[in-house]
């Protein structure tokens, strides 16, 4: 399939590489910053442009992989007829793309993606959504060519998935960051906790996280909880977070 | 070394297996519930008892691996002279063991441990603490025989390590539990987020969590944040947690 990539950031880069490997042709990269477009075009052997009006008009799919708040702007300038246009955001409405084409959709990879890593989309869940049967067929074919895990979702479902992903990934990473902040106060690094962090994530294959919950809150060990809160007295933000999460663990336990 | 295990729960079981494999002899298991003591004794080829006064008196080390709030009770009954007595808790004071012996210490494995898993202590950080040079030598030898990562820590440091571990492990697991609760509302299971969760934990090898932070809070994308808070309006506990963590991510970013 001929693909145009709008954007040249983390997702555009990794998606472009994966699509190329699966036999698709990346015909063009657009970025408002020409040197960024050129850089990715070099990797993907494609042409590049920084002008929306110069975007190639006969590709099979246009993938908009840019910051959420920039999608509406690009969508209002990109005028195609019946070519499929999709974005890759977890939270932006699909219909924002209506000015672009009759056939629109969403192609949302449920993964945290950086430019540098060696990444295979094969095991990454791809959530797709579209407005026409035709769009659905194209999108399904494209997604299935790079991943085993393709899910058709509604807008509502995608929004909940995105919110759940914020807890599961952004907020769990923030817990690691807090742990590091605390460790550094006592002259240690995060190194000591890495085996624990990895085991905690690996264990979810064996049972549900609710069943796997351990720690002072789960045991309702109020003596330790009191000591921990005392230790955090000089950091009211962390104290507050500790209290809220402890209370919520106890709430869930009783459900 | 001859080892007596006080307790037969998760840590006693895994520690017993590991020590046996490394050539130590588990001479006896104590548990106030005789059938539990017998069960672990069967696995470790040791004797067993449910009476503290029948505990073997000539072992090289006595490891108290029971619930935090039960340690003081056992310690007040266990009268030895100069044999080394240690507990395995992250948060209980070492000096609680003073009634037991001249030589006391702590042997705290920084890992979440369940009975069933196949576990090797080899890569698990072991934090040790003791009150005499003699105790230190024995404890270091014992710890080094099962793990490459032995750290001598102070009581203060151990308490901070334990608090950091609550954030890094108990609270990150709770984030997974919240994600699952949200997903189930929309007919999905945690399965879809497992690749993301594992990647989030694996990435900490590449950079510090503060640098790896992504998501709406990190981007200060207040439009998405507002939508998420709106989605959580029927669950004030989660809404509150979302707001607190978002605010703290922004705080840390500015540090």
């Amino acid at each position: 399939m001929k693909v145009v990539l709008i954007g040249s950031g983390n997702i555009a880069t990794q998606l472009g590489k994966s699509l190329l490997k699966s036999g698709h042709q990346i015909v063009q990269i657009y970025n408002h910053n020409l040197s960024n477009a050129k850089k990715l075009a070099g990797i993907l052997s494609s042409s590049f442009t920084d002008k929306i009006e110069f975007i190639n008009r006969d590709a099979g799919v246009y993938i908009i992989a840019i910051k959420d708040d920039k999608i509406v702007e690009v969508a209002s300038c990109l005028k195609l007829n019946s070519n499929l246009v999709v974005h890759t955001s977890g939270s932006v409405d699909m219909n924002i793309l209506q000015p672009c084409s009759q056939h629109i959709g969403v192609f949302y990879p449920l993964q945290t993606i950086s430019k540098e890593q060696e990444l295979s989309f094969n095991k990454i869940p791809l959530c797709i959504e579209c407005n026409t049967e035709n769009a659905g067929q194209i999108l399904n074919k494209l997604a299935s060519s790079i991943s085993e895990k393709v899910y058709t979702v509604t807008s509502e479902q995608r929004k909940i998935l995105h919110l759940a992903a914020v807890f599961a990934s952004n907020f769990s990473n923030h817990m690691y960051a807090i742990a590091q902040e605390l460790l550094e106060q006592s002259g240690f690094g995060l190194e000591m906790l890495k085996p624990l962090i990895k085991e905690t994530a690996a264990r979810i294959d064996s049972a549900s996280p609710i069943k796997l919950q351990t720690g002072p809150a789960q045991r309702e060990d109020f003596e330790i909880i009191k000591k921990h809160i005392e230790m955090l007295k000089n950091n009211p933000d962390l104290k507050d977070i500790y209290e809220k999460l402890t209370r919520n663990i106890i709430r869930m336990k009783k459900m």
Side-chain angles (χ1 to χ4, degrees), chain A:
Chain A
M1 207 177 296
K2 286 185 178 178
V3 180
V4 169
L5 286 174
I6 320 280
S8 56
N10 299 347
I11 295 186
T13 301
Q14 294 288 358
L15 209 49
K17 284 189 198 170
S18 248
L19 289 168
L20 192 64
K21 227 183 245 172
S22 301
H24 302 283
Q25 189 193 346
I26 316 299
V27 292
Q28 197 179 34
I29 313 291
Y30 162 84
N31 193 304
H32 67 279
N33 175 320
L34 193 66
S35 80
N36 285 349
K38 189 177 173 181
K39 205 168 157 192
L40 183 54
I43 297 170
L44 303 175
S45 316
S46 58
S47 73
F48 56 96
T49 179
D50 61 351
K51 305 248 177 321
I52 291 188
E53 58 273 26
F54 290 170
I55 285 178
N56 182 310
R57 304 187 63 80
D58 62 352
V61 59
Y62 295 74
I63 302 177
I64 305 179
I66 58 179
K67 282 189 182 147
D68 284 6
D69 56 354
K70 302 286 176 201
I71 298 175
V72 65
E73 198 184 312
V74 167
S76 66
C77 308
L78 182 66
K79 301 285 176 205
L80 301 155
N81 294 317
S82 57
N83 320 51
L84 177 61
V85 181
V86 301
H87 72 62
T88 59
S89 163
S91 46
V92 171
D93 206 294
M94 176 176 72
N95 291 324
I96 211 174
L97 302 176
Q98 268 175 353
C100 305
S101 170
Q102 290 170 262
H103 302 292
I104 58 175
V106 179
F107 186 99
Y108 169 47
L110 257 176
Q111 185 56 283
T112 171
I113 292 171
S114 62
K115 247 182 226 178
E116 296 74 21
Q117 72 197 130
E118 267 309 308
L119 178 142
S120 156
F121 276 86
N122 197 31
K123 303 280 180 200
I124 296 178
L126 297 177
C127 302
I128 61 174
E129 189 184 333
C130 49
N131 72 333
T132 63
E133 203 175 313
N134 184 259
Q137 280 170 359
I138 300 173
L139 206 45
N140 225 313
K141 210 173 145 189
L142 191 78
S144 305
S145 74
I146 60 170
S147 171
E148 292 170 10
K149 298 185 174 177
V150 179
Y151 299 88
T152 302
V153 303
T154 65
S155 272
E156 269 322 293
Q157 286 175 322
R158 177 165 49 89
K159 280 169 195 165
I160 292 172
L161 279 165
H162 184 243
L163 176 59
V166 168
F167 279 94
S169 175
N170 304 152
F171 287 171
S172 65
N173 182 75
H174 184 52
M175 295 300 121
Y176 311 156
I178 292 174
Q180 181 166 24
E181 194 183 23
L182 291 168
L183 286 175
E184 284 172 356
Q185 286 168 20
S186 69
F188 291 114
L190 193 64
E191 209 52 43
M192 279 181 88
L193 285 180
K194 284 183 179 174
L196 178 60
I197 287 172
K198 287 177 191 168
E199 175 66 17
T200 303
R203 286 176 84 174
I204 55 170
D205 282 336
S206 68
S208 86
I210 294 170
K211 282 191 184 151
L212 292 168
Q213 190 64 52
T214 56
Q218 182 69 13
R219 293 195 305 274
E220 299 191 53
D221 186 336
F222 294 108
E223 210 163 312
I224 303 289
I225 291 169
K226 220 175 93 187
K227 280 186 199 165
H228 283 169
I229 289 171
E230 171 67 18
M231 286 167 75
L232 294 169
K233 66 169 189 273
N234 293 326
N235 194 328
D237 294 313
L238 295 192
K239 178 174 162 288
D240 205 15
I241 289 170
Y242 186 96
E243 287 171 337
K244 291 280 169 356
L245 296 180
T246 293
R247 197 177 308 158
N248 205 53
I249 289 171
I250 297 172
R251 173 186 74 83
M252 263 200 194
K253 189 181 157 180
K254 294 190 169 148
M255 271 177 9

Coordinates of all heavy atoms in Angstrom, one line a residue, chain A residues 37-112:
Chain A
A37 N 11.5 16.4 8.3 CA 10.9 15.6 7.3 C 11.9 14.9 6.4 O 11.9 13.7 6.2 CB 10.0 16.4 6.3
K38 N 13.0 15.6 6.1 CA 14.1 15.1 5.3 C 14.8 13.9 6.0 O 15.2 12.9 5.4 CB 15.1 16.2 5.0 CG 16.1 15.8 3.9 CD 17.0 17.0 3.6 CE 18.2 16.6 2.8 NZ 19.1 17.7 2.5
K39 N 15.0 14.1 7.3 CA 15.7 13.1 8.1 C 15.0 11.7 8.0 O 15.6 10.7 7.7 CB 15.8 13.6 9.5 CG 17.0 13.0 10.3 CD 17.2 13.8 11.6 CE 17.9 13.0 12.6 NZ 17.9 13.6 13.9
L40 N 13.7 11.8 8.3 CA 12.9 10.5 8.3 C 12.8 10.0 6.9 O 12.9 8.8 6.7 CB 11.5 10.7 8.9 CG 10.7 9.5 9.0 CD1 11.4 8.3 9.8 CD2 9.3 9.8 9.7
A41 N 12.7 10.9 5.9 CA 12.6 10.5 4.5 C 13.8 9.7 4.1 O 13.7 8.7 3.3 CB 12.4 11.7 3.6
G42 N 14.9 10.1 4.6 CA 16.2 9.4 4.3 C 16.2 8.0 4.8 O 16.6 7.1 4.1
I43 N 15.6 7.8 6.0 CA 15.5 6.4 6.6 C 14.6 5.6 5.8 O 14.8 4.4 5.6 CB 15.1 6.5 8.1 CG1 16.2 7.3 8.9 CG2 14.9 5.2 8.7 CD1 15.7 7.7 10.3
L44 N 13.5 6.2 5.3 CA 12.4 5.4 4.7 C 12.4 5.4 3.2 O 11.4 5.0 2.6 CB 11.0 5.9 5.3 CG 10.8 5.9 6.8 CD1 9.5 6.5 7.2 CD2 10.9 4.5 7.4
S45 N 13.4 6.0 2.6 CA 13.5 6.1 1.1 C 12.3 6.7 0.5 O 11.7 6.2 -0.4 CB 13.8 4.8 0.5 OG 14.7 4.0 1.2
S46 N 11.8 7.8 1.1 CA 10.6 8.5 0.5 C 10.9 9.9 0.2 O 11.9 10.5 0.5 CB 9.5 8.4 1.6 OG 9.9 9.0 2.8
S47 N 9.9 10.6 -0.5 CA 10.1 12.0 -0.8 C 9.6 12.7 0.5 O 9.2 12.1 1.4 CB 9.3 12.4 -2.0 OG 7.9 12.4 -1.7
F48 N 9.8 14.1 0.5 CA 9.4 14.8 1.7 C 9.0 16.2 1.3 O 9.4 16.7 0.3 CB 10.5 14.8 2.7 CG 11.8 15.4 2.2 CD1 12.1 16.8 2.4 CD2 12.7 14.6 1.5 CE1 13.3 17.3 1.9 CE2 13.9 15.2 0.9 CZ 14.2 16.5 1.1
T49 N 8.2 16.8 2.2 CA 7.8 18.2 1.9 C 7.4 18.9 3.2 O 7.2 18.2 4.2 CB 6.5 18.2 1.0 OG1 6.1 19.6 0.8 CG2 5.3 17.5 1.6
D50 N 7.4 20.2 3.2 CA 7.0 21.0 4.4 C 5.7 21.8 4.0 O 5.3 22.7 4.8 CB 8.1 21.9 5.0 CG 8.6 22.9 4.0 OD1 8.2 22.8 2.8 OD2 9.3 23.8 4.4
K51 N 5.1 21.5 2.9 CA 3.9 22.3 2.4 C 2.8 21.3 2.3 O 2.9 20.4 1.5 CB 4.2 23.0 1.1 CG 5.4 23.9 1.1 CD 5.0 25.3 0.9 CE 6.2 26.3 1.0 NZ 7.3 25.9 2.0
I52 N 1.7 21.6 3.0 CA 0.5 20.7 2.9 C 0.0 20.6 1.5 O -0.4 19.5 1.0 CB -0.6 21.1 3.9 CG1 0.0 20.9 5.3 CG2 -1.9 20.3 3.7 CD1 -1.0 21.1 6.4
E53 N 0.1 21.7 0.7 CA -0.5 21.7 -0.6 C 0.4 20.8 -1.6 O -0.1 20.4 -2.6 CB -0.7 23.1 -1.2 CG 0.6 24.0 -1.2 CD 0.8 24.7 0.1 OE1 0.4 24.2 1.2 OE2 1.5 25.8 0.1
F54 N 1.6 20.5 -1.2 CA 2.4 19.6 -2.0 C 2.3 18.2 -1.6 O 3.1 17.3 -2.2 CB 3.9 20.1 -1.9 CG 4.2 21.4 -2.6 CD1 5.4 22.0 -2.4 CD2 3.3 22.0 -3.4 CE1 5.7 23.2 -3.0 CE2 3.5 23.3 -3.9 CZ 4.8 23.9 -3.8
I55 N 1.5 17.8 -0.7 CA 1.3 16.4 -0.3 C 0.8 15.6 -1.5 O -0.2 16.0 -2.2 CB 0.4 16.3 0.9 CG1 1.2 16.8 2.2 CG2 -0.1 14.9 1.1 CD1 0.4 16.7 3.5
N56 N 1.5 14.5 -1.8 CA 1.1 13.6 -2.8 C -0.4 13.2 -2.7 O -0.9 12.9 -1.6 CB 2.0 12.3 -2.6 CG 1.8 11.2 -3.6 OD1 0.7 10.8 -3.8 ND2 2.9 10.7 -4.2
R57 N -1.1 13.1 -3.8 CA -2.6 13.0 -3.7 C -3.1 11.6 -4.1 O -4.3 11.3 -4.1 CB -3.3 14.0 -4.6 CG -2.8 15.4 -4.1 CD -3.6 16.5 -4.8 NE -5.0 16.4 -4.5 CZ -5.6 16.9 -3.3 NH1 -4.8 17.5 -2.4 NH2 -6.9 16.8 -3.1
D58 N -2.2 10.6 -4.4 CA -2.7 9.3 -4.8 C -2.2 8.2 -4.0 O -2.1 7.0 -4.4 CB -2.4 9.1 -6.3 CG -0.9 9.0 -6.6 OD1 -0.1 9.4 -5.7 OD2 -0.5 8.7 -7.7
A59 N -2.0 8.4 -2.7 CA -1.6 7.3 -1.8 C -2.9 6.6 -1.3 O -4.0 7.1 -1.4 CB -0.8 7.9 -0.6
G60 N -2.7 5.4 -0.8 CA -3.8 4.6 -0.3 C -4.2 5.0 1.1 O -5.4 4.9 1.5
V61 N -3.3 5.5 1.9 CA -3.6 5.9 3.3 C -2.7 7.1 3.7 O -1.5 7.1 3.4 CB -3.6 4.7 4.3 CG1 -2.3 4.0 4.3 CG2 -4.0 5.2 5.7
Y62 N -3.3 8.0 4.4 CA -2.5 9.1 5.0 C -2.6 9.0 6.5 O -3.7 9.0 7.1 CB -3.2 10.5 4.6 CG -3.1 10.7 3.1 CD1 -3.9 9.9 2.2 CD2 -2.2 11.6 2.5 CE1 -3.7 10.0 0.8 CE2 -2.0 11.7 1.1 CZ -2.8 10.9 0.3 OH -2.7 11.0 -1.1
I63 N -1.4 8.9 7.1 CA -1.4 8.7 8.6 C -0.9 9.9 9.3 O 0.3 10.4 9.1 CB -0.5 7.5 9.0 CG1 -1.0 6.2 8.3 CG2 -0.5 7.3 10.5 CD1 -0.1 5.0 8.5
I64 N -1.8 10.6 10.0 CA -1.4 11.8 10.8 C -0.9 11.4 12.1 O -1.7 11.0 13.0 CB -2.6 12.8 10.9 CG1 -3.2 13.0 9.5 CG2 -2.2 14.0 11.6 CD1 -4.4 14.0 9.5
A65 N 0.4 11.5 12.3 CA 1.0 11.1 13.6 C 1.8 12.3 14.2 O 3.0 12.4 14.1 CB 2.0 9.9 13.4
I66 N 1.0 13.3 14.7 CA 1.5 14.5 15.2 C 0.9 14.8 16.6 O 0.0 14.0 17.0 CB 1.3 15.7 14.3 CG1 -0.2 15.9 14.0 CG2 2.0 15.5 13.0 CD1 -0.5 17.1 13.1
K67 N 1.3 15.8 17.3 CA 0.7 16.1 18.6 C -0.8 16.3 18.5 O -1.3 16.9 17.5 CB 1.4 17.4 19.1 CG 2.8 17.1 19.7 CD 3.3 18.3 20.5 CE 4.7 17.9 21.0 NZ 5.6 19.0 21.0
D68 N -1.5 15.9 19.5 CA -2.9 15.9 19.5 C -3.5 17.3 19.1 O -4.4 17.4 18.3 CB -3.5 15.6 20.9 CG -3.4 14.1 21.2 OD1 -2.8 13.3 20.4 OD2 -3.9 13.7 22.3
D69 N -2.9 18.3 19.7 CA -3.5 19.7 19.5 C -3.2 20.3 18.1 O -3.6 21.4 17.8 CB -3.1 20.6 20.7 CG -1.6 20.7 20.8 OD1 -0.9 20.0 20.2 OD2 -1.2 21.5 21.7
K70 N -2.3 19.6 17.4 CA -2.0 20.1 16.0 C -2.9 19.4 14.9 O -2.8 19.8 13.8 CB -0.5 19.8 15.7 CG 0.4 20.5 16.7 CD 0.5 22.0 16.5 CE 1.4 22.6 17.5 NZ 1.1 24.1 17.7
I71 N -3.6 18.3 15.3 CA -4.3 17.5 14.3 C -5.4 18.3 13.6 O -5.5 18.3 12.4 CB -4.9 16.2 15.0 CG1 -3.8 15.3 15.5 CG2 -5.7 15.4 13.9 CD1 -4.3 14.1 16.3
V72 N -6.1 19.1 14.4 CA -7.2 19.8 13.8 C -6.7 20.8 12.7 O -7.4 21.0 11.7 CB -8.1 20.5 14.9 CG1 -7.3 21.6 15.6 CG2 -9.4 21.1 14.4
E73 N -5.6 21.4 13.0 CA -5.0 22.4 12.1 C -4.7 21.7 10.7 O -5.0 22.2 9.7 CB -3.8 23.0 12.7 CG -3.3 24.3 12.2 CD -1.9 24.6 12.9 OE1 -1.9 24.6 14.1 OE2 -1.0 24.9 12.2
V74 N -3.9 20.6 10.8 CA -3.5 19.9 9.6 C -4.8 19.4 8.9 O -4.9 19.5 7.7 CB -2.6 18.7 10.0 CG1 -2.4 17.8 8.8 CG2 -1.2 19.3 10.4
A75 N -5.7 18.9 9.7 CA -6.9 18.3 9.1 C -7.8 19.3 8.3 O -8.4 19.0 7.3 CB -7.8 17.6 10.1
S76 N -7.7 20.6 8.7 CA -8.5 21.6 8.0 C -7.8 22.0 6.7 O -8.5 22.6 5.9 CB -8.7 22.8 8.9 OG -7.4 23.4 9.1
C77 N -6.6 21.7 6.5 CA -5.9 22.1 5.3 C -5.7 20.9 4.3 O -5.5 21.1 3.1 CB -4.5 22.6 5.6 SG -4.4 23.9 6.8
L78 N -5.8 19.7 4.8 CA -5.5 18.5 3.9 C -6.8 18.1 3.2 O -7.7 17.5 3.8 CB -5.0 17.4 4.8 CG -4.6 16.1 4.1 CD1 -3.4 16.3 3.2 CD2 -4.3 15.0 5.2
K79 N -6.9 18.4 1.9 CA -8.1 18.2 1.2 C -7.9 17.0 0.2 O -7.3 17.2 -0.8 CB -8.6 19.4 0.4 CG -8.8 20.6 1.3 CD -10.1 20.6 2.1 CE -10.2 21.8 3.0 NZ -11.1 21.6 4.1
L80 N -8.5 15.9 0.5 CA -8.4 14.7 -0.4 C -9.9 14.4 -0.7 O -10.8 15.0 -0.1 CB -7.7 13.6 0.3 CG -6.3 14.0 0.7 CD1 -5.8 13.1 1.9 CD2 -5.3 13.8 -0.5
N81 N -10.1 13.4 -1.6 CA -11.5 13.1 -1.9 C -11.9 11.8 -1.1 O -12.6 11.9 -0.2 CB -11.7 13.0 -3.4 CG -11.5 14.3 -4.0 OD1 -12.0 15.3 -3.5 ND2 -10.8 14.3 -5.2
S82 N -11.4 10.7 -1.7 CA -11.9 9.5 -1.1 C -10.7 8.6 -0.5 O -10.9 7.5 -0.1 CB -12.6 8.6 -2.1 OG -11.7 8.4 -3.2
N83 N -9.5 9.2 -0.5 CA -8.4 8.5 0.1 C -8.6 8.4 1.6 O -9.1 9.3 2.3 CB -7.0 9.2 -0.1 CG -6.9 9.8 -1.5 OD1 -7.8 10.5 -1.9 ND2 -5.9 9.5 -2.2
L84 N -8.1 7.3 2.2 CA -8.3 7.1 3.7 C -7.3 8.0 4.5 O -6.1 8.0 4.2 CB -8.0 5.6 4.0 CG -8.1 5.2 5.5 CD1 -9.5 5.6 6.1 CD2 -7.8 3.8 5.7
V85 N -7.8 8.7 5.4 CA -7.0 9.5 6.3 C -7.3 9.1 7.8 O -8.4 9.0 8.2 CB -7.4 11.0 6.2 CG1 -6.5 11.9 7.1 CG2 -7.3 11.5 4.7
V86 N -6.2 8.8 8.5 CA -6.3 8.4 9.9 C -5.4 9.2 10.8 O -4.4 9.7 10.3 CB -6.0 6.9 10.1 CG1 -6.9 6.0 9.2 CG2 -4.5 6.6 9.8
H87 N -5.7 9.3 12.1 CA -4.8 9.8 13.0 C -4.4 8.7 14.0 O -5.1 7.6 14.0 CB -5.2 11.1 13.7 CG -6.3 10.9 14.7 ND1 -6.2 10.2 15.8 CD2 -7.6 11.4 14.7 CE1 -7.4 10.2 16.5 NE2 -8.2 11.0 15.9
T88 N -3.4 8.9 14.8 CA -2.9 7.9 15.7 C -3.1 8.2 17.2 O -2.4 7.6 18.1 CB -1.4 7.6 15.5 OG1 -0.7 8.9 15.8 CG2 -1.1 7.2 14.1
S89 N -4.0 9.1 17.5 CA -4.2 9.6 18.9 C -5.1 8.7 19.7 O -6.1 8.2 19.2 CB -4.6 11.0 18.9 OG -5.2 11.4 20.1
G90 N -4.9 8.6 21.0 CA -5.7 7.8 21.8 C -7.0 8.6 22.2 O -8.0 8.0 22.6
S91 N -6.9 9.9 22.1 CA -8.0 10.7 22.7 C -8.7 11.7 21.8 O -9.7 12.3 22.2 CB -7.5 11.4 24.0 OG -6.2 12.0 23.7
V92 N -8.1 11.9 20.6 CA -8.8 12.9 19.7 C -9.9 12.2 18.9 O -9.8 11.1 18.5 CB -7.7 13.5 18.8 CG1 -8.3 14.3 17.7 CG2 -6.7 14.3 19.5
D93 N -11.0 13.0 18.8 CA -12.2 12.5 18.1 C -11.8 12.2 16.6 O -11.1 12.9 16.0 CB -13.3 13.5 18.2 CG -14.6 12.9 18.1 OD1 -15.0 12.4 17.0 OD2 -15.4 12.9 19.1
M94 N -12.4 11.1 16.1 CA -12.2 10.7 14.7 C -12.7 11.8 13.8 O -12.1 12.1 12.8 CB -12.8 9.4 14.4 CG -12.7 8.9 13.0 SD -13.4 7.3 12.7 CE -15.2 7.6 12.9
N95 N -13.9 12.3 14.2 CA -14.6 13.2 13.3 C -13.9 14.5 13.0 O -14.3 15.3 12.1 CB -16.0 13.5 13.8 CG -16.8 12.2 13.7 OD1 -16.7 11.4 12.7 ND2 -17.7 12.0 14.6
I96 N -12.9 14.8 13.7 CA -12.0 16.0 13.5 C -11.4 15.9 12.1 O -11.0 16.9 11.5 CB -10.9 16.0 14.6 CG1 -10.5 17.4 14.9 CG2 -9.7 15.2 14.2 CD1 -9.6 17.5 16.1
L97 N -11.4 14.6 11.5 CA -10.8 14.4 10.2 C -11.8 14.6 9.1 O -11.4 14.5 7.9 CB -10.1 13.0 10.1 CG -9.1 12.7 11.2 CD1 -8.6 11.2 11.0 CD2 -7.9 13.6 11.0
Q98 N -13.0 14.9 9.4 CA -14.1 15.0 8.3 C -13.8 15.9 7.2 O -14.1 15.6 6.0 CB -15.4 15.3 9.0 CG -16.2 14.0 9.3 CD -17.5 14.2 10.0 OE1 -17.8 15.4 10.4 NE2 -18.3 13.2 10.2
P99 N -13.1 17.1 7.5 CA -12.8 18.0 6.3 C -11.9 17.3 5.3 O -11.8 17.8 4.2 CB -12.1 19.2 7.0 CG -12.5 19.1 8.5 CD -12.7 17.6 8.8
C100 N -11.1 16.3 5.7 CA -10.1 15.7 4.8 C -10.6 14.8 3.7 O -10.1 14.8 2.6 CB -9.1 14.9 5.6 SG -8.3 15.8 7.0
S101 N -11.6 14.0 4.1 CA -11.9 12.9 3.1 C -13.3 12.3 3.5 O -13.8 12.5 4.7 CB -10.8 11.8 3.1 OG -11.2 10.7 2.5
Q102 N -13.9 11.5 2.6 CA -15.0 10.7 2.9 C -14.7 9.6 3.9 O -15.5 9.1 4.6 CB -15.6 10.1 1.7 CG -16.3 11.0 0.7 CD -16.5 10.1 -0.6 OE1 -15.7 10.2 -1.5 NE2 -17.6 9.4 -0.6
H103 N -13.5 9.1 3.7 CA -13.1 7.9 4.5 C -12.0 8.2 5.5 O -10.9 8.6 5.2 CB -12.5 6.8 3.6 CG -13.5 6.4 2.5 ND1 -14.7 5.7 2.8 CD2 -13.5 6.6 1.2 CE1 -15.3 5.5 1.7 NE2 -14.6 6.0 0.7
I104 N -12.5 8.2 6.8 CA -11.5 8.5 7.9 C -11.5 7.5 8.9 O -12.3 6.6 9.0 CB -12.0 9.9 8.5 CG1 -13.4 9.8 9.0 CG2 -11.8 11.0 7.5 CD1 -13.9 11.0 9.8
G105 N -10.5 7.5 9.8 CA -10.3 6.5 10.8 C -9.3 6.9 11.8 O -8.7 7.9 11.8
V106 N -9.1 5.9 12.8 CA -8.1 6.1 13.8 C -7.2 4.8 13.8 O -7.8 3.7 13.7 CB -8.7 6.3 15.2 CG1 -7.6 6.4 16.3 CG2 -9.6 7.6 15.2
F107 N -6.0 5.0 14.1 CA -5.0 3.9 14.1 C -4.2 4.1 15.4 O -3.1 4.8 15.3 CB -4.2 4.0 12.8 CG -3.2 2.9 12.6 CD1 -3.5 1.9 11.7 CD2 -1.9 2.8 13.2 CE1 -2.6 0.8 11.4 CE2 -1.1 1.8 13.0 CZ -1.4 0.8 12.1
Y108 N -4.6 3.6 16.5 CA -4.0 3.9 17.8 C -3.2 2.8 18.4 O -3.8 1.8 18.8 CB -5.2 4.3 18.7 CG -4.8 4.5 20.2 CD1 -3.7 5.2 20.6 CD2 -5.6 4.0 21.2 CE1 -3.4 5.4 21.9 CE2 -5.3 4.1 22.6 CZ -4.2 4.9 22.9 OH -3.9 5.0 24.2
P109 N -1.9 2.9 18.4 CA -1.1 1.8 19.0 C -1.0 2.0 20.5 O -0.7 3.0 21.0 CB 0.3 2.0 18.4 CG 0.3 3.4 17.8 CD -1.1 3.9 17.9
L110 N -1.4 0.9 21.2 CA -1.4 0.9 22.7 C 0.0 0.6 23.2 O 0.2 -0.4 23.8 CB -2.4 -0.1 23.2 CG -3.7 0.4 23.7 CD1 -4.6 -0.8 24.1 CD2 -3.6 1.4 24.9
Q111 N 0.9 1.5 23.0 CA 2.3 1.3 23.5 C 3.0 2.7 23.6 O 2.6 3.7 23.0 CB 3.0 0.5 22.5 CG 4.4 0.1 22.9 CD 4.5 -0.6 24.2 OE1 4.4 0.0 25.3 NE2 4.6 -2.0 24.2
T112 N 3.9 2.7 24.5 CA 4.7 3.9 24.7 C 5.9 3.8 23.7 O 6.6 2.8 23.7 CB 5.2 4.1 26.2 OG1 6.1 5.1 26.2 CG2 5.8 2.8 26.8

